[in-house]
């Protein structure tokens, strides 16, 4: 091989030619991070940051690279790719996807100088993050309970009265007593009070001396995987089956075949042993497409209650209650009835936004020292509604980003072509559509060239598996996600 001292001048020329051929976007996506490591014995050694990139370049660009290397270096017979050590080391413990997001407000440091208004208010109003955990014994520790989520603070309205009655019934029953429905399955869109209600049940039952375990589905997965790693899975399962009341929140996030199987066993043995189970999710069991059929049917076999969107009266009552709670901390906080009406009329989406609105009002009042008028309310709410708008991801955005990243056309992405070069990007785009938007599997199928929902489900599972087993690939998807989210 006739190469320069190190071959870097030649490698630079190769990159220049690739950039000219492929265009800036494609070049940057695939080749900007490829480095020349060594040359010798007819082999060009290149390094890339991720395993995914290695596979991708090998399957799509090997021939082109070979041609260019032969032109520039001469006598090249082979190109070897190696993966540079992980760029983004992960801490020990759970995989990232399994850790719950920190409760809002936790990340705010008292000493921090610049705290956004709403966050500052939340910190002041809500106090430090809830830390109380339900401890049965060392093997079973529940997710933290928020001390504010009690029956006393839950406001009843037309949209939630049935769910509230069922929840009370469960909370008041004695161990082993049948309440006539098991499991209780509560479903509602985000922010309508599912977590509040489940935690209210957990707290009341715990105060009555029952063995209660409240877990988010993510925590359930994490606990189970930790137990497997520590080879204490049997003890974990036995402990699980020894409780009086199991509450699982955000069921839509339960993933993984083995975990679902385990969950199914737990569910069966608890229900068969007359122990009460309560589950909350953002949709009814039939629509939890990523769940195993058996889990779905067992979950659908009890009482299903939906919490609907709050009407004006309920919204007003929630706002009014929150203002009263805020006034306990800021006795001077003055919010007129007109402002409460204004908030209840304009924030229609969820309890979370109503809370956010009150927090903002309290923050404005605190920092300006003036009573809250309609004008302040308007500004505070405009911010709130704008933040919500900005966060919404569209399927088109995902398709566009994926097409760009993998250099495929949108027509190909939506076509019935099944070559490897379009199948994987298509699956990634479907997976991202499922995880970043609230769209259902059938709807996503329609948006991807009228595919069946089972095809979408297959894609979601496939990508989930790959993310779990291939860190390079996981990084690649993570990068895409960030591009789409920003
Ligand atoms: P979800 O779990 O359904 O997404 P949350 O239980 O987290 O909703 O509720 C979001 C916020 O709205 C919480 O602060 C909760 O206290 C409040 N909230 C929702 N519904 C009610 C209600 N009926 N009464 C009082 N607060 C409510
Ligand atoms: Mg919730």
């Amino acid at each position: 091989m006739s190469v320069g001292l190190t071959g870097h001048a030649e490698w630079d020329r190769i990159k220049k030619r690739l950039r000219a051929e492929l265009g800036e976007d494609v070049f940057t996506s695939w080749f900007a991070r490829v480095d020349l490591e060594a040359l010798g014995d007819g082999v060009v050694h290149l390094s890339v940051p991720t395993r995914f990139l290695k596979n991708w370049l090998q399957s799509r660009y090997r021939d082109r690279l070979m041609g260019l290397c032969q032109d520039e270096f001469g006598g090249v017979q082979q190109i070897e790719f190696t993966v540079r050590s992980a760029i983004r080391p992960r801490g020990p413990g759970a995989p990232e996807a399994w850790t719950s997001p920190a409760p809002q407000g936790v990340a705010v440091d008292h000493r921090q100088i610049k705290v956004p208004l709403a966050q500052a208010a939340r910190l002041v109003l809500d106090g430090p993050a809830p830390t109380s955990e339900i401890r049965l014994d060392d093997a079973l520790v529940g997710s933290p309970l928020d001390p504010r989520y009690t029956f006393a603070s839950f406001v009843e309205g037309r949209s939630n009265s049935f769910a509230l009655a069922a929840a009370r019934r469960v909370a008041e029953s004695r161990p082993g007593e049948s309440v006539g429905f098991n499991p209780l399955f509560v479903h509602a869109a985000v922010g309508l009070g599912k977590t509040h209600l489940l935690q209210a049940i957990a707290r009341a039952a715990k105060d009555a001396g029952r063995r209660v375990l409240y877990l988010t589905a993510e925590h359930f997965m994490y606990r189970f995987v930790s137990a497997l790693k520590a080879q204490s899975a049997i003890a974990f399962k036995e402990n699980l089956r020894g409780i009086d009341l199991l509450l699982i929140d955000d069921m839509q996030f339960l993933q993984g075949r083995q975990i679902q199987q385990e969950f199914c066993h737990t569910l069966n043995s608890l229900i068969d042993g007359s122990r009460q189970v309560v589950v909350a999710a953002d949709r009814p069991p039939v629509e939890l497409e990523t769940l195993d059929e058996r889990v779905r049917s067992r979950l659908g076999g009890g009482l299903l209650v939906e919490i609907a969107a709050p009407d004006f009266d309920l919204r007003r009552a929630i706002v009014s209650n929150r203002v009263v709670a805020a006034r306990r901390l800021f006795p001077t906080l003055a919010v007129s009835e007109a402002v409460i009406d204004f908030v209840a009329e304009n924030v229609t989406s969820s309890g979370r936004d109503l809370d956010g609105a009150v927090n903002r009002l309290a923050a404005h009042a605190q920092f300006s020292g003036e009573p809250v008028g309609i004008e302040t309310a308007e500004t505070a709410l405009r911010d709130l509604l704008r933040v919500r708008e900005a966060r919404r991801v569209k399927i088109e955005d995902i398709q566009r980003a994926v097409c760009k990243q993998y250099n495929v056309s949108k027509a190909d992405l939506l076509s019935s072509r099944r070559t490897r070069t379009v199948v994987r990007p298509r699956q990634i785009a479907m997976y991202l559509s499922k995880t970043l938007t609230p769209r259902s599997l059938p709807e996503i199928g329609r948006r991807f060239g009228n595919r069946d929902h089972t095809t979408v489900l297959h894609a979601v599972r496939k990508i989930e598996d790959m993310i779990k087993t291939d860190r390079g690939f996981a990084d690649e998807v993570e990068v895409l996600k960030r591009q789409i989210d920003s």
Side-chain angles (χ1 to χ4, degrees), residues 194-195 249-250 352:
K194 300 180 296 292
T195 297
D249 201 354
D250 285 326
R352 199 160 295 165

Side-chain angles (χ1 to χ4, degrees), residues 171-481:
E172 286 158 10
S173 68
R174 281 184 301 279
E177 180 201 350
S178 164
V179 295
F181 47 82
N182 202 5
L184 167 61
F185 191 102
V186 182
H187 65 99
V190 67
L192 298 188
K194 300 180 296 292
T195 297
H196 190 143
L197 208 53
L198 256 61
Q199 295 200 6
I201 301 174
R203 186 163 293 276
K206 189 176 157 256
D207 289 348
R210 292 166 64 189
R211 289 163 61 86
V212 180
L213 185 64
Y214 167 84
L215 281 173
T216 62
E218 285 176 321
H219 267 123
F220 179 87
M221 298 191 292
Y222 173 58
R223 289 287 140 72
F224 184 67
V225 171
S226 312
L228 279 183
K229 271 195 209 142
Q231 303 193 320
S232 56
I234 293 174
F236 173 76
K237 287 187 238 174
E238 274 172 8
N239 270 310
L240 255 185
R241 288 165 198 173
I243 58 181
D244 299 320
L245 172 59
L246 175 69
L247 304 106
I248 301 283
D249 201 354
D250 285 326
M251 188 65 191
Q252 68 274 13
F253 294 131
L254 195 80
Q255 288 168 3
R257 244 168 230 298
Q258 197 186 358
I259 286 171
Q260 293 200 19
Q261 258 172 21
E262 221 32 74
F263 181 77
C264 199
H265 288 317
T266 305
L267 206 59
N268 287 337
S269 74
L270 285 173
I271 295 175
D272 295 343
S274 313
R275 253 73 63 86
Q276 186 69 39
V277 177
V278 181
V279 175
D282 66 354
R283 62 203 101 154
V286 283
E287 285 174 31
L288 289 169
E289 292 103 343
T290 54
L291 279 197
D292 196 272
E293 176 55 39
R294 274 170 310 166
V295 180
R296 264 189 282 167
S297 79
R298 191 88 218 213
L299 288 176
L303 180 64
L304 294 188
V305 291
E306 179 176 10
I307 302 178
D311 56 16
F312 174 79
D313 291 341
L314 179 57
R315 297 198 300 270
R316 196 181 190 293
I318 292 176
V319 174
S320 185
N321 274 15
R322 289 292 288 188
V323 170
V324 171
R327 208 173 286 136
R328 264 182 242 130
L329 288 158
F330 309 114
T332 57
L333 177 67
V335 181
S336 68
E337 295 296 308
V339 168
I340 293 178
D341 280 343
F342 178 82
V343 173
E345 212 150 277
N346 287 284
V347 182
T348 53
S349 43
S350 84
R352 199 160 295 165
D353 285 351
L354 291 172
D355 276 357
V358 175
N359 286 343
R360 270 157 208 262
L361 296 184
H364 275 280
Q366 234 233 324
F367 289 98
S368 70
E370 286 166 16
V372 180
I374 291 281
E375 219 167 287
T376 314
E378 267 177 358
T379 318
L381 297 193
R382 208 180 312 130
D383 292 351
L384 189 74
L385 300 175
R386 200 171 24 229
V387 171
R388 284 181 54 80
E389 278 298 301
R391 251 185 292 141
R392 203 163 298 157
V393 174
K394 296 200 200 75
I395 290 182
E396 289 91 85
D397 299 337
I398 294 170
Q399 290 174 335
R400 197 175 312 123
V402 169
C403 285
K404 188 172 159 201
Q405 179 82 333
Y406 298 103
N407 192 26
V408 295
S409 68
K410 182 150 173 198
D412 275 349
L413 196 75
L414 306 191
S415 74
S416 53
R417 283 186 57 204
R418 301 181 51 85
T419 49
R420 247 198 3 201
T421 50
V422 298
V423 166
R424 189 54 35 85
R426 187 185 292 139
Q427 288 176 330
I428 293 173
M430 288 179 179
Y431 163 83
L432 291 172
S433 301
K434 187 64 205 152
T435 48
L436 299 181
T437 78
R439 304 283 162 238
S440 69
L441 294 176
E443 188 173 349
I444 294 171
R446 276 195 297 280
R447 303 284 293 278
F448 280 82
N450 259 328
R451 290 182 150 75
D452 191 71
H453 78 276
T454 53
T455 309
V456 184
L457 180 58
H458 172 75
V460 171
R461 289 211 169 123
K462 174 82 195 162
I463 299 302
E464 274 168 4
D465 285 347
M466 288 177 68
I467 286 174
K468 260 176 233 156
T469 52
D470 183 341
R471 182 184 290 186
F473 181 73
D475 286 343
E476 210 67 39
V477 173
E478 193 54 39
V479 169
L480 252 175
K481 249 192 207 169

Side-chain angles (χ1 to χ4, degrees), residues 109-176:
D109 183 334
H110 289 265
R111 290 153 304 182
Q112 217 171 302
I113 303 160
K114 277 167 91 185
V115 178
L117 279 189
Q119 251 179 329
R122 187 162 256 289
L123 183 70
V124 182
L125 287 178
D126 300 347
T131 49
S132 71
E133 289 189 321
I134 313 174
R135 236 166 233 286
L136 292 174
D137 54 48
D138 285 347
L140 280 186
V141 178
S143 306
L145 289 185
D146 188 322
R148 293 168 305 152
Y149 292 169
T150 61
F151 279 119
S153 64
F154 192 85
V155 187
E156 182 168 4
R158 234 182 320 197
S159 52
N160 63 28
S161 62
F162 191 37
L164 178 59
R168 280 196 193 281
R169 181 76 190 91
V170 168
E172 286 158 10
S173 68
R174 281 184 301 279

